[in-house]
């Protein structure tokens, strides 16, 4: 129940309603979110009273009170407090006088209540001026000690370092491991005749998004209900389950309209997001390059724009948690005009970066260095295969979308070529994400050869292959030779009979089949190439332009001319030989 406690005498109802908005915000992965801090700072300045907000370890707001922090009771709060450990609550409160320094009363409350952290926000002219944070340390001669950190500015707090201090806190003579509570999630999907277990995959996505999946519910039906996604009767059952299992978020396996989201939240009484939101959230966490971050934000903004009208509760919850994380994002403004302008600016910047990449690609094409692109379903082992082929050490982890940013490495052998890894595909990949990442995925479009990497240990390998082919068609990638590479063969559940003869079976983990794969790549890339060793007389120096269309491996200036060792396409080799004979 949203309730403002403490000294509410004389405080207008409109102010109390504004403070109740804190309950719809969250401070996940932050000591205190900018949204919560900004809201209570404004109210605190207006009424000239301290505002106190209690946060659980998962960042949810447990209590909002008006008055001094030491007058707030924890008896009604659902915390993990015990006799020896921290209570599992962060106490965030304002100092209307402007100073963010923790007072002696603040320190006393920190010790007596055993807060995870005591945070003071110094308020000046309705804004947060400075912030200090107190964290308990250890017991020395029956005295609990503490450390004070700050002063910090809002938006630049070292959240990771402060959480580390909480995790490492030693309370009352013994260490207590800080366990941040994950958001408890329930999955909801439609069980149609499609043989692919989409909810199983959604659960893996949720694990990658740091969610604790408690249960999943399916309803047998041909298609989603346009108003409620599933039947209202089923939703009433789910509402009881959410209450009994303390579910914080329900995640639907298909993309929802704003109307569906609002209706579901009204009935279930919890936050509702869809599969697209989870995927965007994972992409936002994993993007590391400038272009990758811009592409993710572009997809987020395009996804949110048509959902501004009528979104109700879900828009008020954009202050934290799943679906709200943006790379480098300080605060999401949901104003339609702002988002449209932001989309325009992002598209312009990405276009400029795409132009720069086009120039780099042109240089590669001029040097005639063939490019091999790895495509495939997420977690098929593309990055591992790239490492095995090229001898590089690109980041690899057994999880969905472990790497987002493209990686290109040079492979040295009988013939040199470039191999480029691209973002993995997934069933129901958001259209806006495909559009935003099109410039990155175009590496496959301009490749000389595509390796379609397949997870041969997956029960759904052939369905996943169809998903990849559909997305390649959407990207208009055609007329490029494709080799199917069945990876993870050490754990394969496939029979040799179902594998096409021209396909290659490999294990990036053990190295099985890699030599065969390299031979197959070279056969496909260089079947129209010839290795040449020639000396071009100085008087025919203009012939260098022909040989430089190929791959120059060696160049040496001699008395009788310039010696070249190069790989040339057959038509260039014939042209060069003819010119030298004339």
């Amino acid at each position: 129940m949203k309730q403002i406690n403490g000294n509410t005498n004389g405080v207008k109802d409109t102010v109390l309603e504004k403070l109740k908005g804190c309950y719809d915000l969250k401070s996940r992965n932050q000591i205190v979110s900018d949204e919560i801090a900004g809201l209570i700072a404004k109210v605190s300045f207006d009424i000239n009273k301290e505002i106190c907000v209690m946060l659980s370890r998962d960042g949810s707001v447990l209590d909002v009170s008006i008055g001094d922090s030491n007058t707030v009771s924890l008896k009604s709060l659902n915390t993990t407090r015990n006799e020896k450990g921290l209570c599992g609550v962060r106490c965030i409160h304002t100092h209307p006088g402007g100073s963010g320094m923790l007072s002696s009363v603040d320190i006393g409350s920190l010790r007596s209540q055993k807060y995870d952290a005591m945070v003071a926000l110094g308020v000046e002219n309705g804004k947060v001026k400075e912030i200090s944070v107190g964290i308990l340390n250890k017991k020395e001669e029956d005295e609990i000690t503490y450390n004070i950190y700050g002063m910090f500015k809002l938006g630049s707090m070292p959240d990771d370092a402060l959480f580390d201090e909480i995790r490492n806190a030693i309370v009352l003579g013994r260490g207590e491991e800080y366990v941040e509570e994950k958001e408890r999630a329930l999955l909801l999907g439609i069980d149609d005749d499609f043989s692919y277990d989409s909810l199983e995959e959604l659960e893996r996505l949720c694990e990658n998004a740091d969610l604790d999946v408690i249960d999943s519910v399916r309803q047998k039906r041909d298609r989603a209900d346009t108003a409620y996604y599933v039947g209202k009767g089923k939703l009433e059952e789910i509402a009881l389950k959410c209450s009994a299992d303390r579910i914080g978020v329900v995640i639907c396996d298909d993309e929802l309209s704003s109307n569906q989201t609002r209706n579901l939240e009204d009935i279930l009484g919890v936050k509702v997001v869809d599969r697209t939101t989870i995927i965007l959230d994972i992409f936002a966490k994993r993007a590391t390059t400038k272009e990758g971050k811009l592409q993710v934000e572009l997809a987020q903004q395009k996804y949110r724009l048509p959902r501004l009208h009528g979104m109700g509760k879900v828009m008020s919850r954009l202050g934290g948690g799943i679906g709200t994380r943006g790379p480098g994002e300080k605060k999401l403004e949901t104003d339609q005009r702002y988002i449209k302008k932001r989309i325009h600016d992002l598209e312009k910047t990405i276009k400029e970066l795409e132009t720069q990449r086009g120039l780099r690609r042109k240089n590669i094409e001029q040097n005639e260095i063939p490019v091999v692109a790895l495509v495939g379903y997420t977690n098929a082992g593309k990055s591992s295969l790239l490492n095995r082929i090229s001898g590089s050490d690109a980041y690899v982890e057994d999880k969905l979308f472990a790497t987002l940013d493209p990686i290109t490495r040079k492979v040295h052998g009988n013939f040199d070529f470039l191999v480029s890894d691209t973002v993995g595909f997934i069933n129901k990949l958001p259209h806006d994400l495909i559009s935003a990442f099109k410039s990155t995925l175009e590496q496959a479009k301009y490749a000389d050869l595509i390796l379609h990497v397949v997870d041969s240990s997956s029960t759904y390998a052939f369905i996943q292959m169809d998903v990849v082919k559909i997305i390649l068609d959407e990207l208009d990638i055609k007329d490029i030779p494709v080799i199917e590479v069945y990876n993870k063969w050490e754990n394969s559940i496939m029979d040799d009979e179902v594998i096409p003869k021209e396909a290659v079976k490999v294990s990036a983990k053990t190295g099985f089949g890699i030599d065969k794969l390299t031979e197959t790549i070279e056969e496909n890339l260089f079947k129209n190439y010839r290795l040449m060793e020639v000396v071009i007389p100085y008087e025919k120096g203009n012939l260098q332009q022909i040989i430089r269309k190929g791959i120059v491996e060696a160049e040496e200036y001699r008395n009788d001319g310039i010696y070249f060792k190069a790989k040339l396409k057959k038509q260039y080799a014939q042209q060069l030989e003819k010119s030298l004979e004339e």
Side-chain angles (χ1 to χ4, degrees), residues 156-398:
S156 60
M157 291 182 64
D159 293 301
D160 291 343
L162 292 172
F163 277 123
D164 284 341
E165 290 301 316
I166 295 174
R167 294 184 183 97
N168 296 328
I170 300 173
V171 182
L172 296 177
R174 76 173 185 88
E176 182 197 61
E177 182 180 356
Y178 180 89
V179 180
E180 186 173 338
E181 296 176 1
K182 294 183 178 180
E183 202 166 11
R184 296 168 66 85
L186 181 143
L187 310 184
L188 178 59
I190 294 173
D191 192 5
D192 54 20
D193 293 330
F194 192 51
S195 60
Y196 191 78
D197 191 348
S198 190
L199 276 188
E200 179 184 324
E201 186 174 77
L202 180 60
E203 182 172 353
R204 291 194 64 197
L205 285 169
C206 291
E207 291 171 356
N208 280 271
D210 297 326
L211 288 167
D212 185 11
V213 177
I214 304 302
D215 201 356
S216 61
V217 177
R218 294 174 171 86
Q219 184 176 49
K220 182 76 174 179
R221 57 188 303 133
D222 295 332
R223 58 182 180 273
D225 185 89
T226 55
Y228 296 99
Y229 184 61
V230 296
K232 290 190 69 176
K234 176 62 71 174
L235 287 180
E236 291 172 359
E237 295 177 17
I238 296 172
L240 294 175
K241 181 179 284 290
C242 288
S243 177
D245 295 341
R246 295 186 294 113
I247 300 298
V249 58
V250 170
I251 302 163
C252 296
D253 192 38
D254 297 279
E255 193 167 297
L256 300 176
S257 67
S258 58
N259 185 50
Q260 287 173 317
T261 303
R262 183 181 65 249
N263 291 340
L264 286 168
E265 288 197 335
D266 287 342
I267 294 175
L268 300 177
V270 298
K271 181 169 65 174
V272 175
V273 298
D274 58 20
R275 182 186 182 97
T276 296
T277 304
I278 298 297
I279 293 175
L280 289 172
D281 187 78
I282 294 172
F283 270 56
K285 290 195 300 181
R286 303 275 167 78
T288 56
T289 65
K290 177 182 178 182
E291 186 171 7
K293 292 179 180 181
L294 291 173
Q295 287 168 330
V296 172
E297 186 183 352
L298 175 60
Q300 287 176 324
Q301 300 290 16
K302 283 186 173 181
Y303 176 74
R304 292 167 183 167
L305 181 59
R307 292 167 173 78
L308 285 179
H309 297 293
M311 286 190 72
K313 295 178 183 177
V314 72
M315 290 309 297
S316 70
R317 288 184 171 132
L318 283 177
I322 288 297
T324 68
R325 190 183 290 108
E329 215 172 29
K330 299 298 182 184
K331 179 180 179 182
L332 174 64
E333 296 184 38
T334 59
D335 178 75
Q336 188 179 41
R337 183 169 50 188
Y338 166 83
I339 291 182
K340 285 182 176 179
K341 183 180 183 303
R342 183 60 181 158
I343 288 174
H344 176 268
D345 293 342
L346 288 168
E347 288 178 334
K348 181 180 178 182
T349 304
I350 291 173
K351 187 70 176 177
E352 292 172 353
L353 292 173
E354 184 180 350
T355 301
Q356 295 173 13
R357 189 172 54 255
L359 293 173
R360 292 194 296 269
R361 184 170 57 242
K362 188 174 181 180
N363 289 332
I364 292 174
E365 291 172 350
Q366 287 176 345
N367 291 329
E368 291 288 333
I369 303 176
V371 177
V372 177
L374 302 177
V375 302
Y377 210 80
T378 182
N379 207 38
K382 297 185 304 300
S383 297
S384 298
L385 191 58
L386 177 140
N387 286 342
R388 177 65 73 169
I389 294 173
S390 65
S392 60
D393 58 350
Y395 175 74
V396 172
E397 189 170 349
D398 183 20

Side-chain angles (χ1 to χ4, degrees), residues 50 69 93 95 100-109 120 132 148:
E50 289 191 6
S69 60
H93 70 288
H95 287 176
M101 181 66 70
L102 290 169
S103 67
S104 58
V105 174
D106 296 334
I107 299 300
S109 297
S132 66
I148 297 179

